[in-house]
């Protein structure tokens, strides 16, 4: 049996599947749970479990785990028409975790297709 399908057709089917908003929503929630939700949960658990004499060390561990999603968001931001420095929006309470990160991951779930306009100063990556 010969395989007459080209790899481009499989790629088009994959993009077509991601055009469905439900699939894109599920993929976005999965990415959010892995990149943002898990570190936030771990920071809460670490803060409760670590009973250290030094509050500075305990707070440093909590803060390092809580801020760890900023690096992947900075890397992904360039691919979805945001600047890398826009990952600093993650520091805004509520907005950073629940609005900004979901917006970036919503766009990332749709790559390589785009349904957002290109910024005027954005170079094609």
């Amino acid at each position: 049996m010969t395989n007459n399908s080209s790899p481009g057709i499989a790629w088009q089917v994959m993009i077509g599947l991601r055009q469905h908003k439900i699939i894109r929503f599920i993929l976005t929630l999965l990415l959010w749970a892995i990149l943002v939700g898990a570190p936030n949960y771990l920071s809460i658990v670490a803060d409760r479990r670590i009973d250290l004499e030094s509050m500075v060390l305990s707070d440093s561990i909590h803060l390092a785990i809580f801020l760890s999603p900023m690096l992947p968001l900075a890397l992904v931001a360039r691919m979805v028409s945001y600047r890398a420095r826009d990952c600093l929006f993650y520091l805004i309470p509520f907005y950073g975790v629940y609005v900004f990160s979901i917006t970036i991951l919503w766009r990332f779930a749709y790559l390589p297709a785009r349904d957002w306009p290109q910024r005027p100063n954005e170079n094609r990556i």
Side-chain angles (χ1 to χ4, degrees):
M1 181 181 275
T2 61
N3 186 2
N4 293 333
S5 65
S6 67
I9 293 174
W11 191 251
Q12 290 171 354
V13 168
M14 186 75 153
I15 291 172
L17 185 62
R18 281 197 262 163
Q19 285 180 343
H20 297 290
K21 297 230 186 248
I22 294 172
I23 301 295
R24 192 173 175 190
F25 178 73
I26 291 169
L27 187 58
T28 301
L29 283 181
L30 182 64
L31 287 169
W32 185 87
I34 293 169
L35 291 177
V36 179
N40 283 324
Y41 176 74
L42 286 176
S43 70
I44 292 169
V45 169
D47 196 36
R48 289 181 185 166
R49 296 258 173 120
I50 298 175
D51 292 329
L52 299 174
E53 298 278 330
S54 172
M55 285 296 275
V56 173
L57 184 59
S58 175
D59 289 343
S60 298
I61 292 170
H62 171 73
L63 192 62
I65 295 171
F66 178 74
L67 295 179
S68 65
M70 287 181 65
L71 179 63
L73 287 176
L75 296 174
V76 169
R78 299 277 307 171
M79 293 184 238
V80 294
S81 298
Y82 278 89
R83 296 175 298 261
R85 69 174 181 243
D86 288 341
C87 75
L88 295 175
F89 283 126
Y90 185 77
L91 298 174
I92 299 172
F94 184 76
Y95 174 79
V97 174
Y98 297 109
V99 177
F100 173 71
S101 61
I102 290 176
T103 302
I104 284 187
L105 295 174
W106 174 259
R107 288 181 173 189
F108 184 71
Y110 196 55
L111 287 178
R114 294 175 67 114
D115 63 351
W116 59 89
Q118 186 173 358
R119 285 190 335 233
N121 62 348
E122 178 183 14
N123 292 333
R124 198 74 170 142
I125 297 175

